[in-house]
Amino acid sequence: MASGPEQSRGRATIVDVATAAGVSRQTVSNALNYPQRVAPATLVRVHREIERLGFTPNAAAQQLRRRKASAYGFEVNPSGAGKMGHILDGFLVELTVAAPDHSCHLVTFAPDLTSLLAGYDQILSTGLVDGFVLGDTRHDDPRPAWLLQNDVPFVTFGRIWDEPHMGRWVDVDGRAGMELAVEHLLGQGYASVAYLGWPDGSPVGDDRRRGWLAGLADAGLADDPIAEEAVQDLAAATAAADRLLARLGPDSAILCASDLLALGALRAVRNRGLEPGRDIGVVGFDDSDVAEALQLSSLRQPLQQAAAEAWRIVHAKGTDLSLTALLAPTLTVRESTSRAGDTPARPPTPVPRPTP
Amino acid sequence: MASGPEQSRGRATIVDVATAAGVSRQTVSNALNYPQRVAPATLVRVHREIERLGFTPNAAAQQLRRRKASAYGFEVNPSGAGKMGHILDGFLVELTVAAPDHSCHLVTFAPDLTSLLAGYDQILSTGLVDGFVLGDTRHDDPRPAWLLQNDVPFVTFGRIWDEPHMGRWVDVDGRAGMELAVEHLLGQGYASVAYLGWPDGSPVGDDRRRGWLAGLADAGLADDPIAEEAVQDLAAATAAADRLLARLGPDSAILCASDLLALGALRAVRNRGLEPGRDIGVVGFDDSDVAEALQLSSLRQPLQQAAAEAWRIVHAKGTDLSLTALLAPTLTVRESTSRAGDTPARPPTPVPRPTP
DNA sequence: ATGCCCTATTTGAACGATCCAACTAGGCTG
DNA sequence: CAGCCTAGTTGGATCGTTCAAATAGGGCAT
């Protein structure tokens, strides 16, 4: 697989190939970077030697001469790794998979404790990366402005809500996703669709709530929208969902801003002796592992598309500020929204509680 | 933060610092790499100029000259990203956080479809990375042998079960973790501890099962161990747990090989009208987001330690084949194993099912 | 004073590739 | 037949750093 060069003093270099093919090193370089400049006969001869010697251009030498690393930094946050709804892990994977299509790669780095920008400045100043993919956008985020000011290529996953005119982002259209979910739920025969969301103030949450309302309006059901709020916590979600159920009639559905909230809804439903899907429809957001395990219908973010768009945007030349991509999520339908769902979780014979 | 060099033609280089400090470039290099070779007075002068000019050594130039990238590759697998129990995401984060301690960084790459080794060979041949951190170990894994044969530094997360004598791994002691869990459960007052595990044959699963048996033996309860098997699937796990409950007396506990299996156990327990924790103890493995959300006690892998050990091993010089680290997991105790747990999930007033 | 050693520092030469400008054949034009 | 153009090829310089060997300049013993 990796056969050594003439002299076994390491890997084959471009001059090894050149001498073997009887040409100059520049011709070998041209054969790889500008094939149209090289005579066809020479081209095949060079490529044969490249193949034979197992030559691969040295990345460090290319980076040095080209003044370009063809690498991008991705900040990973220790606090939220593996957390539910943290689709960043999946996004990173899809970015990595798509990276070769753009002949570049990804370098991970951890945030600097002193400053939000320090970590970025440091890895950038070594020339290790050309730019960044920001996996999240925070409120009052100083990073986009700083990067723009320093002419550093970047793209964020998540809209830059504070500055709507600022481009260079890719995001998932939570609003459209919610409309889709409402349509699905009504199509399944649920009479009404209530909403379990986060408290006002988070841009993402507000956007999703608007999607729910829009979905109701589309169906002409917007006259009396029923909603409850809960923070991202199971106990709070369960309690809020229970309040919701108290206000709802039969054959209702609950649309949730996250899988965790939906998990609370599932518990509240079961606590009332009801069966999710058959009695009450429940839809979550992010299609996390939990959703899959609990047979919870959920909106899935198109991470593969998002990664592709991210690479496109980060590589786009010029200062075009309107480089954006808004992608529609898809709905993964499971038992929690199917009326005729068999309920395998229920055991054949209920057993009374054993008394000590 | 990033002030330019004398001529604003890019970043400050080592010669910019040298001329500014009135020394040769090599002295600046020495000041950074071998400070003891430089006279104290010169040292402070050089460092002052480095600070003033905001100089950072160019990584590509260093890599080229040192013939060393100070980077390591980490293969990310598209199929299992974000999956429950996939602690690889967390491991990658901890590796990234700890990387600066070893003045190196991490480069992610996706598996090549043609061959398991092709992706490794390719990124290695460019000199982009010096070695690899393998996030998982498969059965009949050709990678460790290949890497060893080619003198490529590496370390695996997960023992190399096929070749017990082969070193260069860091792993979590599932067996010890299970013993710890059994001890905890018995200490909580549960009369017996049953086991819900994977079918025989997986090295990890068999190891954990042995830990359970060892824990029972330590307590003198090994005479009639009760266990059931299920594949990594919620429905199967729920059914198996239900079979287990049929065989168990009151005040028992179920120790599970994974959080997903434990999730099935929780459902089976609730389906019988019992309350996890109060009536039946349940313990999972991996302390995933689900465990946290469902208040499930679970064994947590010490990923931070694992990352530190991984860096130590991958950087260890020589061909010492016995470079290993076996770390003990910790138990995160939650309501599913606390007898006197309040049960916030139960609503104050049960409501009958609404009839249409 | 001469020789010698030791320390601090400097100079030359890589590392492996690409950019740039120059060079050589040819064929074509006027 | 001189001159021009183009395709194909080449050598020199360069990216920014570190390695290896050479130099300068004391201090100390002979």
Side-chain angles (χ1 to χ4, degrees), chain A residues 1 56 59 82-84 96 105-106 108 121 125-126 128 234 267 270-272 274 289 292-293 345 347 351 354, chain B residues 1 56 59 82-84 96 105-106 108-109 121 125-126 128 234 267 270-272 274 289 292-293 345 347 351 354:
Chain A
M1 186 165 276
T56 315
K83 278 263 185 186
M84 181 153 26
T96 301
H105 58 270
L106 217 56
T108 63
D121 190 49
S125 65
T126 64
L128 205 61
L234 183 60
R267 303 193 86 177
R270 285 221 168 80
N271 280 341
R272 284 179 175 251
L274 303 174
D289 46 353
E292 188 186 348
V351 173
Chain B
M1 186 165 278
T56 313
K83 278 261 181 186
M84 180 154 24
T96 301
H105 58 271
L106 219 56
T108 62
F109 68 103
D121 190 48
S125 66
T126 64
L128 205 62
L234 182 60
R267 302 194 85 178
R270 285 221 168 80
N271 280 340
R272 285 180 176 250
L274 303 175
D289 46 353
E292 187 186 349
V351 173

Side-chain angles (χ1 to χ4, degrees), chain A residues 2 12 14 20-21 25 61 81 83 101 126 159 166 175-176 183 214 226 229 266 268 273 275 285 294 298 331 353 355:
Chain A
I14 200 171
R25 44 173 218 278
K83 278 263 185 186
D101 299 341
T126 64
R159 265 160 281 188
M166 189 180 284
R175 184 170 171 154
E183 188 185 345
I226 299 179
E229 291 177 358
L266 289 180
E275 182 66 26
F285 204 109
L294 295 177
S298 188
L331 181 66
R353 177 192 168 197
T355 36

Side-chain angles (χ1 to χ4, degrees), chain A residues 229-240:
Chain A
E229 291 177 358
V231 292
Q232 187 78 346
D233 168 86
L234 183 60
T238 309

Side-chain angles (χ1 to χ4, degrees), chain B residues 214-289:
Chain B
L216 289 186
D218 292 345
L221 295 172
D223 35 294
D224 185 27
I226 298 179
E228 284 283 347
E229 291 178 357
V231 292
Q232 187 77 346
D233 169 86
L234 182 60
T238 310
D242 192 66
R243 291 197 302 273
L244 214 46
L245 288 171
R247 297 166 60 188
L248 287 176
D251 274 335
S252 297
I254 302 177
L255 182 54
C256 306
S258 74
D259 276 352
L260 184 62
L261 293 181
L263 183 49
L266 288 180
R267 302 194 85 178
V269 167
R270 285 221 168 80
N271 280 340
R272 285 180 176 250
L274 303 175
E275 182 66 25
R278 188 190 60 190
D279 306 317
I280 299 283
V282 178
V283 171
F285 204 109
D286 269 354
D287 202 10
S288 61
D289 46 353

Side-chain angles (χ1 to χ4, degrees), chain B residues 305-329:
Chain B
Q305 283 181 57
E309 291 292 332
W311 284 126
R312 184 183 64 75
I313 290 170
V314 85
H315 277 120
K317 303 285 179 191
T319 357
D320 188 354
L321 288 183
S322 57
L323 292 165
T324 63
L326 189 59
L327 306 171

Side-chain angles (χ1 to χ4, degrees), chain B residues 12-62:
Chain B
T13 72
I14 202 171
V15 286
D16 292 326
V17 176
T19 54
V23 293
S24 74
R25 45 172 217 275
Q26 184 62 36
T27 300
V28 179
S29 177
N30 286 336
L32 290 170
N33 300 312
Y34 306 95
Q36 70 279 11
R37 289 183 189 170
V38 180
T42 315
L43 199 59
V44 297
R45 193 150 36 94
V46 168
H47 271 114
R48 190 168 49 225
E49 292 305 320
I50 288 176
E51 190 76 17
R52 193 174 67 82
L53 296 173
F55 166 71
T56 313
N58 181 282
Q62 287 184 321

Side-chain angles (χ1 to χ4, degrees), chain A residues 14-44:
Chain A
I14 200 171
V15 286
D16 292 324
V17 176
T19 54
V23 294
S24 73
R25 44 173 218 278
Q26 183 61 37
T27 299
V28 179
S29 177
N30 286 337
L32 290 170
N33 299 312
Y34 305 95
Q36 71 280 12
R37 289 184 189 168
V38 180
T42 316
L43 199 59
V44 296

